[in-house]
Amino acid sequence: MKLGFLTACLPQWDLPTIASWAAGHDYQALEVAVWPGSGGRDFEAAHLPVATFGKREADATRGLFEQHALELSALAYYENNLHPDPGRREEIRTHLKHAIDTAHLLGVPYVGTFVGRDWTRPIAENLAEAERVFPELVEYAGEREVRIIIENCVMEGWHPDGYPGNLAYSPELWEWMFDLGLYLNWDPSHLTWIGIDPVETIAPYIDRIVHAQAKDVQLRPADRQRYGHFGPAVDRSANPWDMGWWRYRVPGLGQVDWSGIIDRLYEHGYTGTLSVEHEDPVWGGSPGKVTQGLEIAHRTLRPLIL
């Protein structure tokens, strides 16, 4: 197992700067963000130009990672592949294919994205639509020796009422998406706040957990007494991402049982990357604060990784 982090938390830095910092602070891998640009929403970054990526860029990128003895664990483009606007959905599909092509050129095994959801339609219709959309993408990736990995984030901010905006949040949905040829970028933070014990999801699905993210979550049960699990309803439009009773933290500052998780991953033979996904509002806002948060995550996780 290697400890890495997702580069989306540092959109202001270029990839050489991030790689140098990561190597100098005992990180072993990077999950590289490849959005077309930054600023669409928080935690997006454009650290490789996948739309125009060619052999020259591939050689330079491989050289950068070799120079710093880092592994490039996955490319990250987490967008809504079932977006209700056909034009926007086609943009996402095209860019995802660019990411897959880039992964192939670099020899990177995984590209991460979301299933997503058309929030104007019921779940059953979305599942049927995904069964139409994803086989072609999975085949495209497979022809290039790349696997598509799906993060189990709820993406409640994509739904106008705060309901799941990414149909990959539960083991029930994982089993459905595995039948489409998709794999899992497993993140325990989302499972924790929706009431699922993340440790207990490892053994049944270890064959499909090929990449894992490390993000913590801080729960505030007293606030849940006001809103319930679904978060604010009356004032939701003020910030659709604020559920009112929990927030993401860097590993070690929330309720996730990292010792239990890493022990269970080892027990069942996981040898992939554990990638810190830094979305902590306390340790955010500037590169200096973000890197301090990454150092906290490192101090929490590195002693647990052999």
Side-chain angles (χ1 to χ4, degrees):
M1 199 184 308
K2 289 184 171 63
L3 181 61
F5 66 86
L6 173 58
T7 66
C9 60
L10 288 165
Q12 307 96 326
W13 285 9
D14 61 19
L15 190 56
T17 303
I18 293 172
S20 177
W21 186 92
H25 290 80
D26 192 34
Y27 274 96
Q28 301 162 292
L30 292 175
E31 180 184 2
V32 176
V34 295
W35 275 263
S38 301
R41 66 173 187 270
D42 290 341
F43 310 112
E44 293 182 5
H47 286 136
L48 284 177
V50 297
T52 57
F53 205 81
K55 184 179 183 303
R56 182 174 63 180
E57 291 83 3
D59 290 343
T61 303
R62 281 193 295 268
L64 174 68
F65 277 76
E66 289 169 5
Q67 174 190 348
H68 294 291
L70 291 169
E71 180 176 309
L72 205 172
S73 65
L75 300 184
Y77 177 56
Y78 288 95
E79 280 293 351
N80 186 354
N81 285 279
L82 300 180
H83 199 286
D85 179 78
R88 178 62 182 136
R89 187 192 294 189
E90 182 59 28
E91 290 174 358
I92 292 166
R93 175 178 170 275
T94 298
H95 194 76
L96 180 60
K97 286 188 171 184
H98 289 323
I100 292 167
D101 292 339
T102 297
H104 174 63
L105 280 174
L106 290 170
V108 174
Y110 310 122
V111 171
T113 192
F114 290 135
V115 171
R117 178 179 181 174
D118 178 347
W119 55 84
T120 69
R121 301 166 66 184
I123 287 178
E125 291 182 14
N126 272 271
L127 298 183
E129 182 67 3
E131 290 165 7
R132 185 189 70 81
V133 167
F134 273 95
E136 188 264 338
L137 290 168
V138 169
E139 181 178 6
Y140 186 90
E143 289 170 350
R144 289 154 180 81
E145 301 180 310
V146 174
R147 291 175 175 176
I148 297 175
I149 57 175
I150 303 294
E151 184 189 348
N152 56 289
C153 184
V154 182
M155 294 306 288
E156 65 286 343
W158 277 349
H159 193 287
D161 298 317
Y163 303 137
N166 173 39
L167 296 178
Y169 58 85
S170 67
E172 176 194 25
L173 287 162
W174 301 349
E175 292 166 5
W176 159 79
M177 75 181 192
F178 294 158
D179 288 340
L180 302 181
L182 299 166
Y183 289 79
L184 191 59
N185 192 4
W186 180 88
D187 184 328
S189 65
H190 312 298
L191 295 165
T192 300
W193 77 261
I194 65 173
I196 295 173
D197 182 348
V199 176
E200 295 304 316
T201 68
I202 293 171
Y205 304 106
I206 193 64
D207 290 345
R208 288 281 172 160
I209 299 173
V210 295
H211 198 273
Q213 289 185 329
K215 185 163 72 266
D216 217 325
V217 62
Q218 182 181 28
L219 308 180
R220 301 193 298 271
D223 292 327
R224 189 174 58 211
Q225 288 297 112
R226 173 174 170 78
Y227 299 116
H229 265 83
F230 303 108
V234 175
D235 299 322
R236 178 155 192 86
S237 61
N239 180 1
W241 296 101
D242 183 5
M243 296 296 280
W245 65 273
W246 59 265
R247 59 181 179 175
Y248 292 129
R249 303 304 307 272
V250 293
L253 299 181
Q255 272 73 55
V256 173
D257 175 12
W258 293 107
S259 178
I261 282 170
I262 292 174
D263 178 63
R264 191 65 60 90
L265 287 170
Y266 272 123
E267 179 184 355
H268 293 283
Y270 181 76
T271 58
T273 295
L274 184 62
S275 179
V276 175
E277 185 183 21
H278 184 340
E279 296 183 356
D280 188 322
V282 177
W283 296 102
S286 69
K289 292 289 289 294
V290 168
T291 52
Q292 285 178 299
L294 290 171
E295 290 180 32
I296 294 169
H298 184 277
R299 288 198 298 270
T300 299
L301 300 173
R302 191 67 183 91
L304 303 174
I305 296 176
L306 301 178

